[in-house]
Amino acid sequence: MRKLLTLAATVAIGLSALTVPAAAEETAAERGYRTLLTVPIGVRLMTEADFDRIWQVWPEPARSRAEKASPGERLQMTLARYGFQLTADRPGNLPQQFTADDKGNVSINCLACHGGPVEGKVTIGLGNSLINLRTFTDDLARYLAANGREPSPPPPKAPPFAEEPTRGLNNAWGAAISFMAMRDRDLNVTEAPQFPVKAPDELDIPVKTPPFWLSKRKTRYYYDAFIGKTHRDIMQFVFEYSVTPQQVAEMEPYFKDIFAWINSVQPPKYPGDIDRTAADRGRLVYLKNCASCHGTYSGEGSYPERVIPLDEIGTDPVRVHDFPVAFKRHLAEGWVGDYGAVALYPETGGYVAPPLDGIWANAPYLHNGSVPTMWDLLTPDARPAVWLRTDNGYDHTKMGLEVTRFTAVPDGVTPEDRRLYYRTALRGLSNAGHRYPATDLSEQEKTNLIEYLKTL
């Protein structure tokens, strides 16, 4: 992530020149989705030609295979390598994760992390559990260097943030904290950080990307529910160091529409067969064991938005312990938080129990994506220490990713390929915690509960 955003700083593009062509009777939400696909709201990262040629810096034997492949095969290799996807909503060879202007300049967009597939099918608004940002940024850095295009450095005193340790995760928070550290309340870039940062811990926060369709249920955002839900808060992730306050102001109308779209996204229906008798029994298990935290789903339903203390939930503590409170206050007291008008909950001490709409599609589970299936979540002592997923497989029985389980990464795996293995011993990636209601359920009750969760 750090390398990607440093690379993006090479050429800032003028946002004032961007326009969204009007469409008849178009809602704000429809306009917001079209904006993501057609309007480059960030800074230039590369060109479409660069994306077509990035394979030229791949390590062997991947480079030789790409060289011998047809253009279509090479594109599929590129998409698979980085966890990108094409979408029917935008014809052409550019994946949904990027947006190009009329000159072929390419910017990354929100769908890099918030657009992904389940069982091989692109699912709008789903967190991208295949994204491989570290491999992409490494390749792009080599490609640009090979073509004599060195990136501009970040501000000298900008706090450094970590690269993602494995695919399927992002460290967007490390980037956002670094960006905001170098901006005052009015978003002017400063020479020194505006709040203290304990590097590297407070800028090494790998998390799984949640699906957009959960937003409509919430009044507060993020895994610890630390701030009220607004369109400005989602903008902080594009405040790369070269973006000016004027450009931020010009972006705001676009983000109002994007925010409207985010809150209109619907969860996908489970595509397989459901044992309705088991699901009815599972509903009773759910109401007894889960509803008080995760809400109810009959009729209008209800969602309590409860924050569960860390010592109760017991999941990986990094996001709670190392996330700087000073950053939260700086964010809320400045432009992003409308100078204090947006509600702030700076020290929640735990993780919010999320809504479970579309939970079948939202594997892997927990805030760091450390548990590959719902069965594993309900069977904590059997959770794998290391696992490797298939790209398109889905385990309908266990409800989650199709994975191979390991006690350790096999010998001989290259450093690059190690990123494909989820390793729960790494910082921030523990699969501990959330042991309830598993210890109180029989095997049959777990099966019934999973069938019910498929209906949400």
Side-chain angles (χ1 to χ4, degrees):
M1 176 67 77
R2 178 174 179 80
K3 194 173 290 147
L4 175 61
L5 295 161
T6 302
L7 292 166
T10 55
V11 183
I13 58 175
L15 297 169
S16 59
L18 303 178
T19 59
V20 183
E25 299 181 2
E26 190 176 43
T27 66
E30 292 168 339
R31 194 166 56 242
Y33 182 54
R34 182 165 54 81
T35 295
L36 284 179
L37 296 181
T38 62
V39 179
I41 55 177
V43 295
R44 172 183 170 182
L45 183 64
M46 57 183 175
T47 68
E48 291 185 85
D50 293 332
F51 182 75
D52 291 340
R53 293 194 288 259
I54 196 170
W55 62 271
Q56 294 173 356
V57 298
W58 290 356
E60 294 290 3
R63 181 168 63 247
S64 293
R65 288 200 299 267
E67 187 174 16
K68 297 174 183 177
S70 68
E73 293 169 336
R74 192 180 299 133
L75 173 61
Q76 291 304 314
M77 293 173 66
T78 303
L79 298 174
R81 180 174 175 83
Y82 304 131
F84 298 155
Q85 303 86 35
L86 301 179
T87 174
D89 294 337
R90 184 176 59 192
N93 292 341
L94 197 65
Q96 64 172 340
Q97 284 76 21
F98 297 106
T99 304
D101 64 16
D102 56 4
K103 297 179 180 179
N105 297 311
V106 173
S107 302
I108 200 164
N109 65 38
C110 303
L111 299 177
C113 295
H114 287 279
V118 59
E119 205 168 11
K121 181 181 179 181
V122 171
T123 303
I124 299 299
L126 176 64
N128 190 355
S129 62
L130 286 174
I131 190 72
N132 197 339
L133 283 170
R134 177 70 178 276
T135 296
F136 174 66
T137 57
D138 284 353
D139 286 352
L140 184 57
R142 285 198 301 270
Y143 175 85
L144 294 178
N147 287 275
R149 290 147 63 187
E150 293 296 330
S152 302
K157 295 184 180 180
F161 50 93
E163 303 282 358
E164 291 76 11
T166 188
R167 75 167 169 177
L169 302 178
N170 72 74
N171 187 23
W173 276 122
I177 294 167
S178 184
F179 294 166
M180 291 304 300
M182 303 307 295
R183 293 181 182 272
D184 64 18
R185 287 161 44 96
D186 300 317
L187 303 183
N188 298 297
V189 176
T190 59
E191 293 184 359
Q194 299 296 288
F195 52 86
V197 176
K198 186 176 66 177
D201 286 358
E202 292 182 340
L203 292 106
D204 183 9
I205 310 173
V207 295
K208 166 194 164 179
T209 305
F212 275 150
W213 61 73
L214 299 184
S215 177
K216 67 174 66 67
R217 287 265 203 165
K218 299 181 177 184
T219 63
R220 297 156 63 178
Y221 264 168
Y222 310 121
Y223 283 119
D224 61 346
F226 81 84
I227 197 167
K229 182 176 77 172
T230 72
H231 72 277
R232 283 188 175 183
D233 198 74
I234 63 174
M235 293 179 69
Q236 62 181 298
F237 300 102
V238 300
F239 290 175
E240 186 274 328
Y241 309 110
S242 68
V243 176
T244 68
Q246 179 184 357
Q247 289 172 325
V248 171
E250 291 164 353
M251 281 193 284
E252 187 171 16
Y254 301 136
F255 272 87
K256 287 181 179 180
D257 290 340
I258 292 169
F259 184 69
W261 173 71
I262 288 171
N263 286 284
S264 75
V265 175
Q266 297 298 317
K269 292 185 178 181
Y270 180 72
D273 295 329
I274 296 175
D275 183 331
R276 293 294 172 176
T277 300
D280 288 343
R281 293 170 179 160
R283 177 176 175 273
L284 299 179
V285 175
Y286 177 85
L287 292 174
K288 179 180 178 181
N289 295 278
C290 314
S292 62
C293 291
H294 292 286
T296 58
Y297 297 85
S298 297
E300 292 295 321
S302 64
Y303 173 56
E305 206 163 12
R306 284 185 58 193
V307 175
I308 313 302
L310 183 61
D311 59 2
E312 178 183 338
I313 192 66
T315 47
D316 190 281
V318 164
R319 176 63 178 76
V320 170
H321 282 171
D322 291 338
F323 200 81
V325 172
F327 160 72
K328 298 178 184 180
R329 294 190 188 280
H330 181 65
L331 196 73
E333 292 169 0
W335 183 89
V336 171
D338 198 13
Y339 301 98
V342 176
L344 177 68
Y345 310 84
E347 300 185 73
T348 63
Y351 296 111
V352 67
L356 301 184
D357 308 75
I359 187 67
W360 74 271
N362 197 20
Y365 300 108
L366 297 184
H367 75 276
N368 57 5
S370 59
V371 180
T373 72
M374 183 56 63
W375 183 267
D376 291 308
L377 188 68
L378 298 174
T379 315
D381 291 333
R383 295 172 188 168
V386 177
W387 47 268
L388 176 67
R389 64 170 296 174
T390 62
D391 284 1
N392 298 323
Y394 187 87
D395 190 324
H396 287 269
T397 301
K398 294 182 176 180
M399 201 176 85
L401 304 181
E402 181 183 73
V403 300
T404 303
R405 298 154 188 264
F406 303 86
T407 56
V409 177
D411 293 338
V413 173
T414 67
E416 182 179 273
D417 285 346
R418 287 178 74 86
R419 298 171 198 154
L420 305 180
Y421 291 80
Y422 197 104
R423 293 158 281 163
T424 60
L426 296 182
R427 171 186 161 80
L429 306 191
S430 168
N431 63 4
H434 201 301
R435 297 184 63 85
Y436 48 80
T439 54
D440 300 323
L441 299 184
S442 69
E443 300 289 290
Q444 187 59 56
E445 286 174 319
K446 293 178 186 178
T447 297
N448 293 343
L449 177 57
I450 288 174
E451 287 302 298
Y452 171 69
L453 294 176
K454 293 175 182 177
T455 70
L456 302 186

